[in-house]
Amino acid sequence: MATNAGHMTKLQAVNELLWTTGEAPVSSLSSGLGDAAIAESILDRVSREIQLSGWHVNTLRAYELSPSAAFRFVLPDDTLKVDTTNHKGGRKANTPIPSSYINAVMRRSADDTMWLLYDMDNHTELWASGPSKLTVDLVKLLNFADLNPALQYYVWTKAARRYQQGAMSSVNLHKLAERDVMEALTMALQEDFETEDYNVLHDSYGARAIALRNNPLSGV
């Protein structure tokens, strides 16, 4: 499998899908060939499904949102999901805004022009009397080329299994592909856990509160 500096391009991933059913590779994503277009569509769909879970590479922790002049919290167009929260779970002294108690969800604006944070308690998209800022964990949809290699491997392996199922419907090939998908998922989870530097004492509010409750310097 050819790669560029450890990363796979979207074209390379599409050709990997084509290879699983014995089809010839294409030289560009605009080849006009039906099978290549189907492979690309499946790759995009699977990438979105997997990224929706929220990984270290596509999650912005403690991301600050400020309201617009119209008192609306506008979300980036590539937002997959959002949650009002505090960095590392606890309400630390240096947390910009203690936002986790605010009941808000991602919703399309009334004029259908943008994605917003919707105030569930007051049933409105306008925050005229609300906070001046909100801190959220925001999951973004990244291009395939911007994913880390382990997550790329998981995405194209799962996409290849789905493409292969639609093209060939072979039970034996499905079993082999399923094994590859599970191995790729394990690699992606291990890499994600390592890079996020998760710590059970600092990243769990309950554990942190118990461990540091008598420490005057804890900031809890």
Side-chain angles (χ1 to χ4, degrees):
M1 179 182 66
T3 57
N4 292 329
H7 288 76
M8 176 182 278
T9 66
K10 188 177 183 181
L11 175 60
Q12 289 169 335
V14 167
N15 282 330
E16 287 288 344
L17 268 64
L18 296 174
W19 175 82
T20 62
T21 57
E23 299 171 63
V26 294
S27 58
S28 73
L29 295 175
S30 57
S31 65
L33 297 178
D35 289 338
I38 292 173
E40 182 179 2
S41 177
I42 291 175
L43 183 73
D44 287 340
R45 187 160 63 249
V46 171
S47 182
R48 180 182 293 270
E49 291 172 5
I50 289 175
Q51 290 189 56
L52 186 59
S53 298
W55 299 75
H56 184 47
V57 70
N58 74 323
T59 302
L60 301 179
R61 303 289 184 188
Y63 183 80
E64 286 190 49
L65 291 174
S66 298
S68 67
F71 302 105
R72 295 188 293 187
F73 284 97
V74 181
L75 298 172
D77 290 338
D78 57 0
T79 301
L80 289 177
K81 66 179 180 180
V82 64
D83 180 36
T84 53
T85 187
N86 297 313
H87 187 49
K88 299 297 185 183
R91 296 186 181 181
K92 297 181 180 180
N94 61 348
T95 299
I97 287 291
S99 305
S100 61
Y101 68 93
I102 294 177
N103 186 15
V105 298
M106 180 179 174
R107 183 174 290 187
R108 196 70 177 165
S109 62
D111 58 7
D112 197 29
T113 60
M114 64 190 78
W115 287 100
L116 303 169
L117 272 184
Y118 184 84
D119 185 347
M120 292 292 287
D121 289 334
N122 297 301
H123 313 293
T124 179
E125 64 185 38
L126 303 178
W127 298 74
S129 59
S132 60
K133 287 185 179 181
L134 282 177
T135 306
V136 300
D137 283 353
L138 190 145
V139 177
K140 297 167 62 71
L141 177 65
L142 300 181
N143 294 325
F144 179 83
D146 295 328
L147 300 176
N148 56 290
L151 200 54
Q152 283 187 334
Y153 178 52
Y154 177 39
V155 168
W156 77 255
T157 302
K158 187 172 182 178
R161 182 192 64 178
R162 191 170 297 181
Y163 179 75
Q164 189 181 74
Q165 282 180 300
M168 303 182 71
S169 300
S170 168
V171 175
N172 290 332
L173 288 177
H174 173 71
K175 290 180 179 180
L176 292 173
E178 184 68 24
R179 182 193 62 191
D180 291 341
V181 170
M182 293 307 298
E183 290 178 353
L185 172 58
T186 300
M187 291 174 58
L189 289 172
Q190 288 176 341
E191 196 270 352
D192 195 67
F193 186 82
E194 291 170 358
T195 57
E196 192 159 11
D197 299 325
Y198 182 82
N199 184 294
V200 69
L201 290 179
H202 293 91
D203 298 337
S204 167
Y205 178 70
R208 184 174 180 274
I210 292 173
L212 304 177
R213 61 187 173 185
N214 294 319
N215 185 348
L217 302 178
S218 65
V220 177

